[in-house]
Short mmCIF file of all heavy atoms in Angstrom, two decimals:
data_model
loop_
_atom_site.label_atom_id
_atom_site.label_comp_id
_atom_site.label_asym_id
_atom_site.label_seq_id
_atom_site.Cartn_x
_atom_site.Cartn_y
_atom_site.Cartn_z
N VAL U 121 -50.59 -14.83 8.91
CA VAL U 121 -49.88 -13.59 9.49
C VAL U 121 -48.34 -13.81 9.43
O VAL U 121 -47.61 -12.94 8.90
CB VAL U 121 -50.26 -13.32 10.99
CG1 VAL U 121 -49.27 -12.39 11.69
CG2 VAL U 121 -51.66 -12.84 11.06
N ALA U 190 -37.46 -17.45 14.37
CA ALA U 190 -37.80 -17.00 15.70
C ALA U 190 -39.22 -16.27 15.68
O ALA U 190 -40.00 -16.48 16.53
CB ALA U 190 -36.75 -15.99 16.24
N LEU U 191 -39.46 -15.50 14.62
CA LEU U 191 -40.81 -14.88 14.53
C LEU U 191 -41.84 -15.90 14.40
O LEU U 191 -42.86 -15.86 14.98
CB LEU U 191 -40.75 -13.91 13.30
CG LEU U 191 -42.10 -13.19 13.04
CD1 LEU U 191 -42.43 -12.31 14.24
CD2 LEU U 191 -42.00 -12.34 11.76
N THR U 193 -41.78 -19.04 15.36
CA THR U 193 -42.02 -19.73 16.70
C THR U 193 -42.74 -18.91 17.63
O THR U 193 -43.58 -19.36 18.36
CB THR U 193 -40.52 -19.99 17.21
OG1 THR U 193 -39.87 -20.82 16.28
CG2 THR U 193 -40.72 -20.75 18.59
N THR U 194 -42.44 -17.60 17.61
CA THR U 194 -43.16 -16.68 18.52
C THR U 194 -44.71 -16.69 18.20
O THR U 194 -45.55 -16.75 19.04
CB THR U 194 -42.68 -15.27 18.41
OG1 THR U 194 -41.22 -15.27 18.84
CG2 THR U 194 -43.39 -14.28 19.35
N LEU U 195 -45.06 -16.57 16.88
CA LEU U 195 -46.42 -16.57 16.45
C LEU U 195 -47.16 -17.92 16.80
O LEU U 195 -48.26 -17.96 17.20
CB LEU U 195 -46.52 -16.18 15.08
CG LEU U 195 -46.18 -14.74 14.71
CD1 LEU U 195 -46.12 -14.53 13.04
CD2 LEU U 195 -47.09 -13.79 15.34
N LEU U 196 -46.36 -18.99 16.42
CA LEU U 196 -46.96 -20.39 16.70
C LEU U 196 -47.31 -20.65 18.19
O LEU U 196 -48.16 -21.37 18.45
CB LEU U 196 -46.10 -21.45 16.06
CG LEU U 196 -46.25 -21.39 14.51
CD1 LEU U 196 -45.19 -22.40 13.95
CD2 LEU U 196 -47.63 -21.70 13.94
N GLN U 197 -46.48 -20.04 18.99
CA GLN U 197 -46.54 -20.27 20.51
C GLN U 197 -47.77 -19.34 21.07
O GLN U 197 -48.16 -19.55 22.15
CB GLN U 197 -45.25 -19.92 21.18
CG GLN U 197 -44.23 -20.98 20.99
CD GLN U 197 -44.58 -22.35 21.67
OE1 GLN U 197 -45.04 -22.42 22.77
NE2 GLN U 197 -44.49 -23.38 20.89
N GLY U 198 -48.22 -18.44 20.21
CA GLY U 198 -49.32 -17.61 20.65
C GLY U 198 -48.90 -16.66 21.70
O GLY U 198 -49.62 -16.26 22.60
N LEU U 199 -47.66 -16.19 21.66
CA LEU U 199 -47.15 -15.21 22.66
C LEU U 199 -47.59 -13.84 22.40
O LEU U 199 -47.28 -13.02 23.33
CB LEU U 199 -45.64 -15.28 22.59
CG LEU U 199 -44.98 -16.63 22.99
CD1 LEU U 199 -43.49 -16.61 22.98
CD2 LEU U 199 -45.43 -17.08 24.40
N GLY U 200 -48.44 -13.54 21.52
CA GLY U 200 -49.02 -12.31 21.29
C GLY U 200 -48.25 -11.25 20.43
O GLY U 200 -47.07 -11.52 19.97
N ILE U 201 -48.95 -10.20 20.08
CA ILE U 201 -48.37 -9.24 19.08
C ILE U 201 -47.22 -8.54 19.72
O ILE U 201 -46.20 -8.36 19.05
CB ILE U 201 -49.53 -8.20 18.76
CG1 ILE U 201 -50.67 -8.83 17.98
CG2 ILE U 201 -48.90 -7.09 17.85
CD1 ILE U 201 -50.26 -9.52 16.68
N GLY U 202 -47.20 -8.27 20.98
CA GLY U 202 -46.05 -7.55 21.60
C GLY U 202 -44.78 -8.36 21.55
O GLY U 202 -43.71 -7.78 21.18
N SER U 203 -44.90 -9.61 21.76
CA SER U 203 -43.68 -10.54 21.69
C SER U 203 -43.22 -10.58 20.29
O SER U 203 -42.07 -10.64 20.01
CB SER U 203 -44.05 -11.96 22.27
OG SER U 203 -44.31 -11.91 23.64
N ALA U 204 -44.25 -10.72 19.37
CA ALA U 204 -43.97 -10.89 17.88
C ALA U 204 -43.14 -9.52 17.43
O ALA U 204 -42.20 -9.53 16.71
CB ALA U 204 -45.10 -11.15 17.11
N LEU U 205 -43.63 -8.40 17.84
CA LEU U 205 -43.03 -7.12 17.52
C LEU U 205 -41.65 -7.04 18.06
O LEU U 205 -40.70 -6.58 17.48
CB LEU U 205 -43.87 -5.96 17.92
CG LEU U 205 -45.18 -5.78 17.12
CD1 LEU U 205 -46.04 -4.62 17.69
CD2 LEU U 205 -44.91 -5.52 15.60
N ARG U 206 -41.36 -7.48 19.38
CA ARG U 206 -40.09 -7.49 19.93
C ARG U 206 -39.09 -8.38 19.16
O ARG U 206 -38.06 -7.98 18.85
CB ARG U 206 -40.22 -8.01 21.37
CG ARG U 206 -38.90 -7.93 22.11
CD ARG U 206 -39.09 -8.40 23.55
NE ARG U 206 -37.81 -8.79 24.10
CZ ARG U 206 -37.38 -9.98 24.09
NH1 ARG U 206 -38.11 -11.04 23.59
NH2 ARG U 206 -36.17 -10.38 24.56
N VAL U 207 -39.63 -9.62 18.86
CA VAL U 207 -38.75 -10.48 18.09
C VAL U 207 -38.46 -9.86 16.64
O VAL U 207 -37.44 -10.00 16.23
CB VAL U 207 -39.38 -11.93 18.01
CG1 VAL U 207 -38.73 -12.82 16.94
CG2 VAL U 207 -39.42 -12.52 19.24
N LEU U 208 -39.53 -9.35 16.13
CA LEU U 208 -39.35 -8.68 14.73
C LEU U 208 -38.25 -7.55 14.79
O LEU U 208 -37.47 -7.53 13.95
CB LEU U 208 -40.65 -8.18 14.31
CG LEU U 208 -40.76 -7.59 12.88
CD1 LEU U 208 -40.41 -8.69 11.85
CD2 LEU U 208 -42.16 -7.05 12.53
N GLY U 209 -38.36 -6.78 15.83
CA GLY U 209 -37.46 -5.62 16.08
C GLY U 209 -35.98 -6.17 16.27
O GLY U 209 -35.03 -5.70 15.58
N LEU U 210 -35.80 -7.20 17.15
CA LEU U 210 -34.51 -7.79 17.34
C LEU U 210 -34.01 -8.41 15.98
O LEU U 210 -32.85 -8.30 15.68
CB LEU U 210 -34.62 -8.90 18.41
CG LEU U 210 -34.72 -8.30 19.84
CD1 LEU U 210 -34.98 -9.54 20.72
CD2 LEU U 210 -33.49 -7.63 20.22
N GLY U 211 -34.97 -9.06 15.30
CA GLY U 211 -34.56 -9.67 13.98
C GLY U 211 -34.07 -8.59 13.03
O GLY U 211 -33.02 -8.87 12.32
N PRO U 281 -32.52 -14.59 20.38
CA PRO U 281 -33.10 -15.27 21.41
C PRO U 281 -34.43 -15.97 20.88
O PRO U 281 -35.32 -15.28 20.43
CB PRO U 281 -33.44 -14.11 22.43
CG PRO U 281 -33.60 -12.99 21.58
CD PRO U 281 -32.65 -13.17 20.45
N PRO U 283 -37.93 -17.92 21.44
CA PRO U 283 -38.90 -18.16 22.58
C PRO U 283 -38.84 -19.70 22.97
O PRO U 283 -38.55 -20.55 22.18
CB PRO U 283 -40.28 -17.83 21.90
CG PRO U 283 -40.00 -17.28 20.65
CD PRO U 283 -38.59 -17.57 20.29
#
Side-chain angles (χ1 to χ4, degrees):
V121 169
L191 179 62
T193 302
T194 300
L195 291 173
L196 290 173
Q197 287 294 311
L199 297 178
I201 297 296
S203 295
L205 290 175
R206 183 177 160 269
V207 169
L208 186 61
L210 286 172

